[in-house]
Amino acid sequence: MTKNIEALVKQLKDQSYKKYRTKTTSEPILYPVDVFGFHIGNNEKKHSLGGNVIPSYKRIISKGFDEIRREIEFSISKATEQSKIEYGKKMLEKMVECIRICDEYREKVKSNSRLYNALQRVPHKSATTFFEACLFMKICIYFLRTANTEHICLGRFDQYMYPYFINDKNRGVSDEELFETLEAFFVSLNYDGDLYPGIQLGDNGQSMVLGGFDECGNSMYNQLTDMCMDASLELNLIDPKINLRVGKNTPKEVYIKATKLTKQGLGFPQYCNDDVVVPGLIKLGYDAKDAVDYGVAACWEYIPSGCGADIPNMSVMNFPLVVNKVITEKLCNCDSFATFMGCVEKAIAKECDRIVESCCDFQHPEQPLLSMFTDGCIETLTDMWRGAKYKNYGCHGTGIANATDALTAVKQCIFDKKTVSVSQLLEALENNFEGFSDLRSSLRNCSKMGNNDEIADDIATQIMACFSKNMNNKPNGNGGIWRAGTGSAMEYILSAAKCPATADGRKAFEPYSSSFSPSLDVKASGLLSIIQSFTKYDMTEIINGGPLTLEIHDSVLKNDIGIEKTAMLVKLFIDMGGHQLQLNSINRERLLDAQKHPEKHPNLIVRVWGWSGYFNELDKEYQNHIIRRCEYLN
Amino acid sequence: MQGLIFSIEEFSVYDGPGIRTTVFLKGCPLRCSWCHNPEGQSYNKEIVRSPNGCINCNNCINVADIVDGKTVFTDDGIKNCPMGLLRYSGENISSEQLCEKLLKNQNMLQSGGVTFSGGEPLAQSDFLLDCLTKLKGKIHTAIQTSGYCDTQTFKKVVGMADYFLFDLKLADDRLHRKYTGVSNAVILNNFSFLASSGREFVVRIPLIPTVTDSDENICGIVNLLKQSGVNYVELLPYNQMAGAKYKMLCREYRPDFDERVAVKVPERILRKNNVAFKIL
């Protein structure tokens, strides 16, 4: 780390990061703070107009705003429909304003010659150097953020920035200088954390996707990829959040480097398996070239880069609630478990139909600025939500493990062992297990998802297959289709808060497990069994996103032996067909202490669902969930 | 054949090469003053109480037995605990069941295998040998041992297992008796047998402040290593968390040494004698 960067990080950390990030100004626009010149400086939390997309930074940075402006003008001149001309004018107006603000800003930073010179070129024209490209990125991010978007993701940074990087190298710029620029850019992403319209602090969508393979299977892991990993490792800051694309041909060294990053305790990298994701997206109708260029939205939703207006968080399948309804309404009439599962499958199918129906009229408000960053929208003068190449909707499948455990308990207690009668179960559920503690412990002692147990895992496969079959590729009424997934986002708390007691022994309104993970409180046999259970289903069929989350005690990562073995474990997960993995280094005692004495742990960072945040800044229910989900480590 | 185990730990990273699962067998003939796994000492099932989440309602204590002045939890205690913190430590399991369970993850254990630890796994040697026979040819097996066991049995186990993690604690017999409760004569005998057997193994030295980390002891151990042609050891520095599990058994941790003294890592002596080492 150079002295420059060290000073920046120190400034960020010293000034009580929170205070620093809330620093506001009456000046509405760009003003100098760091080497990239500015931060957002606007304390108003605005209503979001949507986001969760990866803008086409590649196109914008390689063209420059002047060229984009000419393209809009050209499209307007060719257009015949009045509505398109009107929309084109809105785009043009935004672009002209962006250019004006940048010019105004450039004049304010005359004293900083490096910045001033770079601003003579970008954003008017294409970037030529890595520094200019990073500055251009900051400018894009700034404008997109102030345009009321949320979760604007960084996408495949190591790919679209590589031409500038390699160009600098060819001109003789040293690796050290390039690394310093990169680190300064990373630091700059950590300002203004509280100004994002996320659910919790830290949920800002600044996900970066690194590595991966091209259509021919060649590795795209390049020197810039490696530098990004090193920068993240050295800076130890929560942004950008690293997602690493891997596959069966990823070498062990890459996993080892990534595991060192896990050791930092920031809750990333998150791993995405190209061998599963790419074929999965192709099955959903994505062109192969777009499928191999996938990235993630804010957390883990798989979306294409630059050409999509997918809404991967459109809706939620609340699995435990569906299962509960079937238990209450149908179980007493079922003479076998197979009949009962038949009813469950019908209910899942019906819920899929209801979800599709309920979203068919959805419309995002217009986004002229973000649309300029979406491929194809300038040519057609169409808003991205209607004009982008991909307009698919995603449906999270939340509480898969809880629903599976509930169904397994019904199978084992009601049908196989007959230790519990239907009426007893219904009464116990209705009373939230008050006065039914023995019955509750029988339910809790049944087979569970996450223990490599065939009975539970087959049931999980059955409900996921039913979900995939009834959700995937259904038209969404907006020119796109639906995609089933395994994520939960905040729904492991919100959906669970709508769900009464469930047959797995979970009490009313208690949270589900986050995304695709064993239920809380399940005494899992261990990490190997969990991985076995969560790689059994063909994950290409359920690829909207949603990771298996594993907590590893930080003592495992204390030396090279533990790091190497953890890297081997991740590789096993990928080789076995897991689609997405989030690995957290965690120490339960430390979390408990931080809850009691927050002042002693100001910099404790934890992974929440698809993003990392400061433990102290989370609401208590999220803190408790994180503490509970590492219980299988004891 | 039945054995008594107290835990199966998947992905145990410090118990041998590769990705492994470790089985902990209950019961140990040694009473090391620094033992961090008191659950492993008794050959019987015991009831233990998890310290996390205890609301100090004393429902378990009120129905506990007092044996020789010590608190022993009862079945009623398990039932009475509103937080569900009491459980049995120790599970009777047949070698068939255990091996079936271990082999379920065979596909993930290709780079490593299964380790038998304890307690002292050699203390249930018949059960251990039965398991090793059943796993032979299917999965790599390792034994983590104090080496304390009659030589006939030890030889049989060396014939069956693929890898050994062998503890050398104290070279001096008098000190060995003092701090572990047993003589090291049979251990050293078994060690020379292992070293000459051609079987793969690694030596581990627990570094206990003022006890095993003294220059005299390390020199003594280095001599033993030299006699057997060993030039690599793994060091396990004492961790002040060692006493954490005693409370679960209503026991007090009272080591015969001052645990606050910093551990001395014997880098100089090992380097001088060309013994490579790794600190775990």
Side-chain angles (χ1 to χ4, degrees):
Chain A
M1 200 181 295
T2 61
K3 287 227 162 70
N4 257 340
I5 300 295
E6 215 169 303
L8 284 176
V9 174
K10 191 169 182 309
Q11 189 182 20
L12 187 69
K13 287 192 168 169
D14 275 3
Q15 299 198 6
S16 155
Y17 56 88
K18 191 165 170 179
K19 189 174 137 220
Y20 192 72
R21 290 189 293 157
T22 48
K23 188 171 166 188
T24 58
T25 173
S26 52
E27 276 186 76
I29 49 166
L30 315 172
Y31 66 99
V33 167
D34 57 57
V35 291
F36 287 111
F38 53 83
H39 75 137
I40 289 170
N42 183 341
N43 65 345
E44 209 183 316
K45 264 201 184 185
K46 293 170 183 165
H47 174 64
S48 160
L49 296 179
N52 270 311
V53 296
I54 303 170
S56 185
Y57 295 120
K58 182 180 172 179
R59 181 169 50 86
I60 301 288
I61 293 173
S62 66
K63 287 185 172 176
F65 281 176
D66 288 353
E67 173 67 17
I68 299 294
R69 179 183 170 167
R70 275 193 295 276
E71 285 180 3
I72 300 167
E73 286 166 347
F74 179 74
S75 291
I76 293 174
S77 73
K78 292 277 170 194
T80 49
E81 276 175 60
Q82 194 53 38
S83 63
K84 292 208 178 237
I85 295 171
E86 289 303 315
Y87 190 77
K89 282 182 179 164
K90 282 184 205 164
M91 280 182 164
L92 192 59
E93 189 189 323
K94 297 271 178 203
M95 189 41 72
V96 169
E97 180 66 2
C98 290
I99 294 170
R100 187 193 65 74
I101 290 172
C102 287
D103 286 345
E104 195 177 294
Y105 171 59
R106 183 187 62 220
E107 295 314 308
K108 283 189 188 170
V109 295
K110 255 191 176 146
S111 58
N112 180 339
S113 62
R114 189 183 190 200
L115 199 53
Y116 183 76
N117 291 339
L119 285 164
Q120 298 278 20
R121 176 146 193 111
V122 294
H124 282 277
K125 294 191 174 61
S126 65
T128 53
T129 66
F130 189 60
F131 179 80
E132 285 171 5
C134 286
L135 178 61
F136 206 152
M137 279 296 288
K138 273 300 281 182
I139 291 169
C140 292
I141 293 168
Y142 169 80
F143 286 120
L144 290 171
R145 191 77 59 66
T146 50
N148 291 17
T149 59
E150 66 172 320
H151 294 142
I152 295 302
C153 320
L154 297 164
R156 303 183 73 193
F157 182 85
D158 61 338
Q159 305 303 316
Y160 61 76
M161 296 296 269
Y162 190 65
Y164 309 100
F165 176 84
I166 205 71
N167 192 33
D168 273 13
K169 270 185 75 92
N170 292 341
R171 288 191 305 117
V173 179
S174 69
D175 283 356
E176 291 70 31
E177 192 181 323
L178 287 163
F179 191 62
E180 187 184 274
T181 303
L182 179 69
E183 288 205 322
F185 177 71
F186 276 20
V187 173
S188 77
L189 295 173
N190 287 276
Y191 297 122
D192 313 306
D194 53 339
L195 301 177
Y196 297 78
I199 299 284
Q200 295 273 298
L201 264 173
D203 176 22
N204 56 26
Q206 294 189 131
S207 298
M208 181 173 278
V209 181
L210 303 175
F213 296 85
D214 69 11
E215 268 178 276
C216 307
N218 300 314
S219 173
M220 307 286 278
Y221 191 102
N222 57 37
Q223 197 193 348
L224 180 56
T225 318
D226 215 44
M227 271 198 189
C228 289
M229 300 284 284
D230 286 337
S232 189
L233 194 60
E234 190 171 271
L235 293 170
N236 210 9
L237 296 169
I238 61 174
D239 282 303
K241 300 161 215 335
I242 306 291
N243 290 264
L244 187 62
R245 283 178 46 170
V246 291
K248 57 181 181 302
N249 293 327
T250 298
K252 195 167 145 190
E253 297 70 52
V254 171
Y255 286 112
I256 288 178
K257 182 166 269 194
T259 306
K260 286 181 182 160
L261 196 46
T262 298
K263 184 186 177 177
Q264 298 280 51
L266 299 167
F268 52 72
Q270 176 169 262
Y271 298 90
C272 308
N273 188 352
D274 277 20
D275 300 328
V276 176
V277 180
V278 173
L281 290 174
I282 290 173
K283 277 194 208 175
L284 288 167
Y286 291 84
D287 289 345
K289 75 172 173 52
D290 296 326
V292 296
D293 201 27
Y294 78 88
V296 298
C299 304
W300 24 247
E301 305 87 337
Y302 294 121
I303 52 172
S305 301
C307 60
D310 289 342
I311 307 178
N313 297 300
M314 191 65 179
S315 194
V316 187
M317 166 69 71
N318 188 341
F319 273 107
L321 194 63
V322 172
V323 168
N324 243 27
K325 200 156 173 263
V326 182
I327 288 176
T328 330
E329 292 172 7
K330 301 276 167 60
L331 183 57
C332 58
N333 301 324
C334 295
D335 52 7
S336 71
F337 184 66
T339 322
F340 170 68
M341 278 305 282
C343 298
V344 171
E345 292 191 323
K346 269 187 210 149
I348 292 172
K350 207 171 142 193
E351 179 63 5
C352 288
D353 289 343
R354 190 197 64 75
I355 289 169
V356 169
E357 180 65 31
S358 70
C359 299
C360 68
D361 295 328
F362 179 83
Q363 279 203 335
H364 258 316
E366 272 183 356
Q367 265 292 12
L369 184 71
L370 192 52
S371 296
M372 286 183 259
F373 283 76
T374 308
D375 292 346
C377 292
I378 293 177
E379 290 86 332
T380 57
L381 296 178
T382 320
D383 191 70
M384 58 183 287
W385 304 114
R386 280 164 289 283
K389 184 171 179 185
Y390 299 106
K391 299 177 288 290
N392 301 326
Y393 292 169
C395 183
H396 297 311
T398 189
I400 289 172
N402 288 92
T404 298
D405 294 349
L407 293 169
T408 309
V410 167
K411 176 173 166 37
Q412 293 182 326
C413 290
I414 307 248
F415 291 102
D416 295 353
K417 294 185 224 147
K418 301 191 189 348
T419 49
V420 176
S421 74
V422 175
S423 55
Q424 281 173 326
L425 176 65
L426 295 184
E427 208 184 332
L429 292 178
E430 197 171 326
N431 290 292
N432 197 20
F433 300 112
E434 294 302 324
F436 289 88
S437 59
D438 285 354
L439 189 150
R440 184 172 179 233
S441 58
S442 328
L443 298 173
R444 289 171 62 128
N445 285 328
C446 290
S447 303
K448 304 285 177 196
M449 187 180 185
N451 275 333
N452 193 17
D453 176 296
E454 281 77 21
I455 297 172
D457 294 347
D458 286 352
I459 289 173
T461 295
Q462 205 175 337
I463 62 172
M464 283 192 277
C466 178
F467 180 38
S468 311
K469 191 176 115 204
N470 289 286
M471 187 54 87
N472 280 342
N473 290 307
K474 272 211 175 133
N476 65 6
N478 185 36
I481 49 107
W482 279 88
R483 332 186 308 173
T486 48
S488 65
M490 59 288 188
E491 295 298 333
Y492 64 90
I493 305 266
L494 301 186
S495 281
K498 296 175 204 150
C499 186
T502 43
D504 55 341
R506 168 191 152 279
K507 288 198 167 183
F509 321 126
E510 290 230 321
Y512 304 149
S513 55
S514 170
S515 286
F516 196 47
S517 305
S519 306
L520 295 172
D521 301 338
V522 162
K523 277 271 170 262
S525 306
L527 296 174
L528 305 184
S529 295
I530 293 176
I531 290 177
Q532 299 268 23
S533 276
F534 285 82
T535 52
K536 281 185 188 166
Y537 184 55
D538 174 4
M539 300 308 294
T540 61
E541 294 288 338
I542 189 157
I543 208 66
N544 191 56
L548 168 63
T549 305
L550 292 180
E551 323 294 337
I552 283 202
H553 197 273
D554 59 4
S555 64
V556 169
L557 297 170
K558 71 182 177 196
N559 63 29
D560 290 353
I561 298 174
I563 286 176
E564 188 187 348
K565 291 193 180 180
T566 304
M568 286 162 74
L569 187 72
V570 175
K571 182 163 167 52
L572 262 181
F573 171 80
I574 296 297
D575 293 349
M576 285 165 72
H579 67 320
Q580 200 167 35
L581 178 68
Q582 187 175 301
L583 199 59
N584 306 325
S585 156
I586 210 158
N587 183 327
R588 188 171 175 275
E589 288 66 42
R590 188 152 176 240
L591 298 179
L592 287 170
D593 195 55
Q595 221 174 21
K596 271 191 219 145
H597 309 287
E599 70 287 353
K600 288 201 287 186
H601 304 271
N603 290 312
L604 178 59
I605 290 168
V606 288
R607 187 78 171 184
V608 188
W609 62 85
W611 47 275
S612 306
Y614 289 94
F615 188 73
N616 290 349
E617 294 180 347
L618 300 174
D619 291 345
K620 194 156 186 200
E621 59 191 320
Y622 290 97
Q623 290 186 343
N624 287 341
H625 193 279
I626 291 164
I627 291 169
R628 283 177 69 184
R629 77 188 182 200
C630 53
E631 271 172 13
Y632 59 78
L633 293 174
N634 296 339
Chain B
M1 162 162 255
Q2 293 277 313
L4 187 66
I5 64 172
F6 67 97
S7 180
I8 299 178
E9 195 185 319
E10 296 182 355
F11 191 60
S12 56
V13 291
Y14 300 118
D15 297 336
I19 291 182
R20 309 192 76 83
T21 293
T22 299
V23 182
F24 293 88
L25 278 68
K26 205 157 168 353
C28 183
L30 275 65
R31 286 293 176 273
C32 303
S33 179
W34 53 85
C35 179
H36 65 278
N37 225 346
E39 261 185 280
Q41 292 178 358
S42 160
Y43 294 94
N44 300 310
K45 280 190 180 184
E46 301 166 275
I47 298 174
V48 299
R49 180 181 64 184
S50 162
N52 292 327
C54 180
I55 53 170
N56 299 314
C57 67
N58 281 337
N59 286 358
C60 56
I61 301 288
N62 295 340
V63 294
D65 291 336
I66 304 294
V67 182
D68 300 335
K70 289 177 192 158
T71 307
V72 177
F73 293 122
T74 57
D75 284 356
D76 282 343
I78 298 182
K79 272 192 213 150
N80 283 1
C81 175
M83 308 305 285
L85 300 178
L86 273 67
R87 62 170 173 85
Y88 268 105
S89 167
E91 178 196 352
N92 285 307
I93 191 165
S94 70
S95 50
E96 288 81 16
Q97 277 175 301
L98 177 60
C99 294
E100 192 192 329
K101 205 168 185 170
L102 296 169
L103 288 171
K104 265 181 101 172
N105 287 328
Q106 198 178 1
N107 59 333
M108 298 187 78
L109 298 171
Q110 302 292 325
S111 66
V114 170
T115 300
F116 292 91
S117 180
E120 171 48 65
L122 297 173
Q124 294 185 50
S125 57
D126 291 346
F127 174 69
L128 179 64
L129 282 163
D130 200 16
C131 292
L132 291 174
T133 311
K134 289 191 166 67
L135 297 173
K136 191 90 195 158
K138 294 177 181 153
I139 207 161
H140 181 272
T141 52
I143 312 289
Q144 182 158 41
T145 179
S146 67
Y148 188 80
C149 132
D150 76 83
T151 302
Q152 272 319 97
T153 307
F154 188 75
K155 285 182 178 172
K156 278 193 214 162
V157 177
V158 171
M160 288 300 294
D162 298 311
Y163 189 85
F164 283 76
L165 301 119
F166 197 104
D167 263 18
L168 285 179
K169 301 179 174 83
L170 286 156
D172 179 86
D173 191 43
R174 190 184 57 83
L175 291 175
H176 201 279
R177 284 170 197 267
K178 179 179 172 197
Y179 286 105
T180 74
V182 300
S183 159
N184 67 7
V186 66
I187 294 175
L188 299 183
N189 240 339
N190 286 339
F191 177 63
S192 11
F193 174 77
L194 177 64
S196 60
S197 68
R199 194 55 86 189
E200 254 192 282
F201 68 95
V202 63
V203 171
R204 292 185 156 184
I205 308 173
L207 293 178
I208 311 301
T210 71
V211 182
T212 66
D213 69 348
S214 71
D215 288 359
E216 303 77 56
N217 186 47
I218 298 299
C219 289
I221 289 178
V222 165
N223 275 336
L224 293 168
L225 297 177
K226 282 188 163 170
Q227 284 163 25
S228 298
V230 176
N231 54 14
Y232 169 74
V233 289
E234 292 181 349
L235 305 173
L236 304 158
Y238 181 75
N239 180 335
Q240 287 206 21
M241 295 292 285
K245 286 189 176 175
Y246 283 74
K247 218 178 151 195
M248 289 170 64
L249 292 157
C250 278
R251 282 171 55 181
E252 212 180 312
Y253 178 58
R254 269 181 303 197
D256 288 339
F257 55 90
D258 187 348
E259 63 167 346
R260 292 162 306 179
V261 176
V263 171
K264 272 200 299 184
V265 178
E267 290 182 44
R268 194 184 47 81
I269 301 177
L270 293 175
R271 288 228 169 85
K272 204 174 112 196
N273 288 282
N274 295 320
V275 177
F277 62 91
K278 204 168 241 176
I279 301 169
L280 299 189

